[in-house]
């Protein structure tokens, strides 16, 4: 399969930013600016409190809604958590799982990530599973082993036919703009090398056909000025954009920039 035939997905991860009003305003502007985009899928992931109202803005447009996290139980005594069904109920079609910031600050393990992934599959909510190594791991040349483990454990007991609900985001921690102040984006060559490795790992876990059908997004300082080079790479099927997705104009330039 020619991977470039996959429709690219560009996702905005707003993280802990924007009041309700700011989120609604940004979504309204993005809806106008991106209304002519037909050949790409666009997703915005606001904070939980803005999901329902942002959905009211983008409903019926070419922009989809996603959340930044989810819990692994459907309901019960789990203070502070939300379930996949609740996210679907407010209009989400995607959720980000296992972002490196959740792994670092909230000690999310591959086991927790896997439980979340499996409940999303059961509830037919699309999951963006984030993987990616630290600077130290790359220096020690253990980055491939680390990412392979994140994939194997994060996708444990996931069936090949369920992979249609899974998107992978490769986000090298050292490249994420809000992390290390000395961050820099991965070069397109380095990113492609890891994306190819991720696809190979998926092929080993499932099969070639399944691996070729999974979108692998790049995340880590994707910007208007590097999107074209990154997206030209064979195994890069989209982006998960943090900082540069906060301003509608910059996000629109990324979506339209390749
Ligand atoms: P960044 O964040 O684009 O600001 O580097 C990406 C992410 O963490 O999803």
């Amino acid at each position: 399969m020619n991977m470039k035939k996959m429709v690219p997905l560009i996702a905005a991860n707003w993280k802990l930013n924007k009041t309700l009003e700011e989120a609604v305003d940004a979504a309204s502007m993005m809806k106008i600016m991106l209304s002519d985009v037909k050949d790409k899928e666009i997703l915005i992931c606001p904070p939980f409190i803005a999901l329902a109202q942002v959905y009211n803005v983008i409903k019926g447009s070419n922009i989809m809604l996603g959340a930044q996290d989810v819990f692994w139980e459907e309901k019960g005594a789990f203070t502070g958590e939300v379930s996949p069904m609740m996210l679907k109920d407010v209009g989400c079609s995607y959720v980000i799982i296992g972002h490196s910031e959740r792994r670092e600050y909230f000690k999310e393990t591959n086991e927790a990530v896997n439980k979340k992934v499996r409940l999303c599959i059961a509830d037919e909510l699309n999951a963006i599973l984030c993987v990616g190594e630290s600077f130290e791991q790359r220096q020690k040349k253990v980055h491939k082993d680390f990412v392979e483990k994140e994939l194997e454990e994060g996708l444990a007991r996931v069936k090949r036919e369920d992979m249609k609900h899974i998107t992978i985001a490769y986000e090298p921690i050292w490249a994420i703009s809000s992390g290390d102040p000395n961050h820099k984006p991965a070069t397109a060559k380095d990113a492609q090398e890891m994306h190819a490795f991720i696809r190979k790992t998926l092929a080993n876990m499932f099969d070639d056909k399944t691996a070729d059908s999974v979108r692998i997004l790049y995340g880590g300082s994707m910007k208007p000025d590097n999107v074209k080079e990154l997206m030209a790479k064979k195994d890069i099927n989209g982006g998960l954009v943090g900082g540069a997705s906060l301003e509608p104009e910059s996000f629109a330039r990324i979506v339209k920039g390749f």
Side-chain angles (χ1 to χ4, degrees):
M1 177 178 169
N2 176 358
M3 249 88 74
K4 278 294 154 190
K5 287 206 179 127
M6 259 190 265
V7 179
L9 171 67
I10 302 291
N13 175 11
W14 287 351
K15 306 190 180 182
L16 203 172
N17 291 289
K18 298 191 188 297
T19 62
L20 182 55
E21 195 184 343
E22 288 164 351
V24 165
D25 283 354
S28 309
M29 286 176 71
M30 288 178 182
K31 180 176 147 179
I32 296 167
M33 289 173 168
L34 295 170
S35 62
D36 56 338
V37 175
K38 306 242 177 321
D39 51 347
K40 294 156 191 171
E41 289 185 11
I42 309 162
L43 176 71
I44 52 183
C45 303
F48 286 132
I49 55 108
L51 288 173
Q53 292 212 32
V54 167
Y55 186 62
N56 277 336
V57 173
I58 60 175
K59 195 163 40 181
S61 77
N62 58 343
I63 303 182
M64 299 178 291
L65 186 71
Q68 299 173 20
D69 188 28
V70 67
F71 193 56
W72 62 71
E73 293 284 348
E74 212 60 86
K75 60 167 140 178
F78 303 103
T79 303
E81 296 298 329
V82 298
S83 70
M85 281 303 190
M86 289 172 172
L87 295 179
K88 283 179 73 168
D89 193 39
V90 293
C92 289
S93 42
Y94 278 86
V95 62
I96 299 168
I97 297 181
H99 191 281
S100 61
E101 287 149 18
R102 295 217 55 87
R103 294 177 190 258
E104 183 184 351
Y105 303 125
F106 305 99
K107 306 293 167 237
E108 272 193 27
T109 60
N110 286 336
E111 193 193 350
V113 165
N114 180 245
K115 287 201 263 184
K116 294 178 177 191
V117 163
R118 284 191 291 127
L119 186 60
C120 285
I121 289 170
D123 288 345
E124 301 194 321
L125 178 64
N126 297 310
I128 300 177
L129 167 61
C130 299
V131 297
E133 79 285 356
S134 66
F135 183 63
E136 206 182 22
Q137 286 163 333
R138 181 161 274 260
Q139 275 189 322
K140 287 189 188 146
K141 301 200 190 315
V142 294
H143 52 294
K144 287 190 176 162
D145 294 343
F146 182 78
V147 167
E148 184 175 40
K149 193 166 181 261
E150 285 187 320
L151 289 168
E152 284 173 357
E153 295 185 0
L155 295 172
R157 282 181 282 163
V158 170
K159 296 194 201 80
R160 145 179 333 158
E161 61 269 27
D162 292 331
M163 286 301 286
K164 61 178 181 291
H165 294 297
I166 304 292
T167 300
I168 305 293
Y170 170 60
E171 299 209 308
I173 297 167
W174 46 272
I176 296 177
S177 63
S178 48
D180 181 346
N182 299 317
H183 76 277
K184 53 175 171 45
T187 63
K189 185 170 164 280
D190 284 346
Q192 164 58 26
E193 189 196 343
M194 282 306 284
H195 280 235
F197 173 75
I198 288 168
R199 205 176 299 284
K200 193 177 113 219
T201 304
L202 294 176
N204 293 341
M205 291 172 64
F206 302 98
D207 55 36
D208 286 347
K209 192 164 164 258
T210 307
D212 286 350
S213 68
V214 174
R215 281 192 289 208
I216 308 176
L217 315 183
Y218 171 77
S221 301
M222 186 180 257
K223 302 257 173 346
D225 63 6
N226 63 10
V227 65
K228 194 169 186 163
E229 200 191 348
L230 287 161
M231 289 304 301
K233 295 294 181 191
K234 177 167 156 278
D235 290 291
I236 302 184
N237 312 115
L240 180 54
V241 189
S245 76
L246 292 173
E247 292 299 327
E249 207 211 313
S250 139
F251 186 59
R253 282 175 60 210
I254 293 177
V255 174
K256 295 184 175 189
F258 64 97

